[in-house]
Amino acid sequence: MKVVIVNTSDIIGGAARAAYRLHKSLLASEINSLMIVQAKSSDDFTVIGPDTKKQKFQYKLNPYIDSMPVRLYKNRSKALFSPAWLSLSNVIQKINALQPDIVHLHWIASGFIQIEEIAKIKAPIVWSLHDMWPLTGGCHYDENCGSYTNSCGSCPVLGSKSKNDLSSRVLKRKLKSISQVENLHIVGMSRWLAECARKSKLFSSRPVYQLPNPIDTTVFSPFDKKSARDLLNLPQDKKLILFGAMGATSDPRKGFNELSRALMHVDQYNSELIIFGSSKPLMGPLFKQKTHYLGQIYDDVTLRLIYSAADVMIVPSLQENLSNTIMESLSCGTPVVAFDIGGNADMIKHMENGYLAKPFNVEDYAKGIDCVLQHDSPKVISSNARNKVCQFFDSKFVALKYIELYQEIINEKK
């Protein structure tokens, strides 16, 4: 069995990390897997990136060029919107030349693949939904608009009042292209996104499965808390609250405003905040708690230390699929507090391995943080966190589920 995994990048970004983990899990299961990307950051020979300096330069320009129609909408929100109108790469030729049994699409925006090119892929397609983009008129999260179930237009992400705006035109292009794909199978990473796909105009007639991201639980495993804090120069006598701040202030969906308000209700004398994914801002303190900024983190070893050093991880997203951060934290035995939205309930069991706050209720969110920090049996809640991931999301288990799906599709084709 030959599988080609397609993602815009290999290891930079949440979808890339998830796709690459699946790729490595398939290789470990002796599946002939290759990965094709627009931006290659690893030195992995099983990942195929741009062939020439000219292609590398072109691919760096693609995200900017692809966003040009979006920039015409002056009242647009800060949320990501991808029209996918570019046709400047040779990725489809690369895919077809490999003659795979399965092509597994993941996150393919930022000018990587034009919508119309999807229909040119010759092998059966599995498409994993890392966000809502595959089923909408261009937004990656719909800000609870719901128009993707019928017809896009008057897009809130674009700040548009026109029924025939860019989102309407993009959805029509998708409908035309996808209708030409004979063998297409959709994978929702979470139960929430799988259900969104089933309700969508694009995929309501297609088979939809729910399979999660895989995680290597031997890499993300508990590390002695005291030793982790020593290595990271963090205090031993404080409760530590962890927050991953990648894009937090630029994307309202990340829930930074809700988090800031919730932390106003959390004890500032006995707890401190750890932030990774962002350096210390030039302006004054953003939170009343003393804050330790760890900057950008690029390796799993350091991430494991950071998760293990914390008493609780907070993920305040307003819309979320199946968060790598939640999964990684739980795998390291650190409970998570999140809103009860999207795919969060797939991983967090309320009051057992974390806390699911009432959606967007900052007082309940603060209560959840306190609940975990003051838990009577921290070792039990930590063990519950770890066990949940090992049981349902371990890479060996998840890889087998994907292999079964691939084989089923191949057998149907015969």
Side-chain angles (χ1 to χ4, degrees), residues 60-73:
K60 286 181 179 179
L61 285 179
N62 282 357
Y64 177 80
I65 299 171
D66 190 61
S67 68
M68 288 174 66
V70 184
R71 292 200 295 275
L72 297 174
Y73 290 83

Side-chain angles (χ1 to χ4, degrees), residues 180-393:
Q180 299 170 42
V181 180
E182 181 179 343
N183 204 331
L184 175 63
H185 300 255
I186 305 301
V187 173
M189 297 290 193
S190 62
R191 287 176 292 177
W192 165 71
L193 201 45
E195 187 57 32
C196 288
R198 293 185 184 104
K199 293 188 297 184
S200 71
K201 189 166 185 178
L202 267 167
F203 299 136
S204 59
S205 63
R206 302 286 185 166
V208 178
Y209 308 84
Q210 193 258 309
L211 288 172
N213 303 327
I215 186 170
D216 188 336
T217 55
T218 63
V219 173
F220 288 94
S221 59
F223 189 86
D224 179 69
K225 191 178 296 293
K226 182 179 184 302
S227 300
R229 293 187 179 191
D230 281 342
L231 288 166
L232 296 169
N233 197 27
L234 295 170
Q236 298 287 350
D237 60 342
K238 301 290 183 181
K239 296 289 187 179
L240 297 183
I241 303 167
L242 180 62
F243 174 55
M246 298 75 70
T249 56
S250 61
D251 186 351
R253 182 185 64 84
K254 297 288 188 179
F256 184 80
N257 290 335
E258 286 74 12
L259 171 64
S260 300
R261 289 158 52 205
L263 287 174
M264 294 295 292
H265 300 279
V266 176
D267 172 35
Q268 71 182 65
Y269 300 106
N270 298 306
S271 63
E272 296 183 5
L273 194 61
I274 312 169
I275 293 181
F276 70 94
S278 175
S279 299
K280 187 175 181 179
L282 294 175
M283 76 252 331
L286 298 176
F287 308 99
K288 68 176 187 177
Q289 288 82 5
K290 181 179 179 180
T291 305
H292 306 267
Y293 289 91
L294 303 183
Q296 296 286 347
I297 307 298
Y298 297 103
D299 66 283
D300 292 342
V301 174
T302 307
L303 275 175
R304 178 193 178 203
L305 286 178
I306 294 169
Y307 289 125
S308 298
D311 294 290
V312 63
M313 175 81 197
I314 49 178
V315 181
S317 303
L318 308 185
Q319 280 191 303
E320 189 64 78
N321 181 17
L322 197 72
S323 165
N324 285 341
T325 305
I326 292 177
M327 193 181 295
E328 290 164 0
S329 181
L330 295 176
S331 190
C332 292
T334 301
V336 179
V337 176
F339 289 120
D340 189 7
I341 51 91
N344 292 345
D346 290 10
M347 297 177 286
I348 302 170
K349 193 161 186 182
H350 187 57
M351 301 292 288
E352 288 193 18
N353 65 354
Y355 191 97
L356 289 170
K358 297 170 186 174
F360 325 129
N361 184 319
V362 295
E363 289 82 10
D364 194 39
Y365 201 95
K367 177 185 174 182
I369 296 172
D370 283 334
C371 181
V372 173
L373 292 181
Q374 308 302 327
H375 199 279
D376 292 336
S377 305
K379 289 185 178 179
V380 171
I381 196 171
S382 174
S383 178
N384 290 343
R386 170 76 175 165
N387 290 341
K388 176 74 173 184
V389 176
C390 290
Q391 184 175 359
F392 294 103
F393 304 105

Side-chain angles (χ1 to χ4, degrees), residues 4-9 34-38 46-49 91 94-95 98 112:
V4 172
I5 290 178
V6 184
N7 197 78
T8 300
S9 60
L34 293 168
M35 190 172 184
I36 293 181
V37 300
Q38 173 173 257
T46 64
V47 176
I48 302 169
V91 64
K94 281 185 178 180
I95 291 170
L98 290 169
F112 186 30

Side-chain angles (χ1 to χ4, degrees), residues 17 63 120 138 154 182 261 332 336 343 406-407:
R17 287 162 58 80
K120 298 176 184 177
S154 304
E182 181 179 343
R261 289 158 52 205
C332 292
V336 179
Y406 298 154
Q407 193 60 62

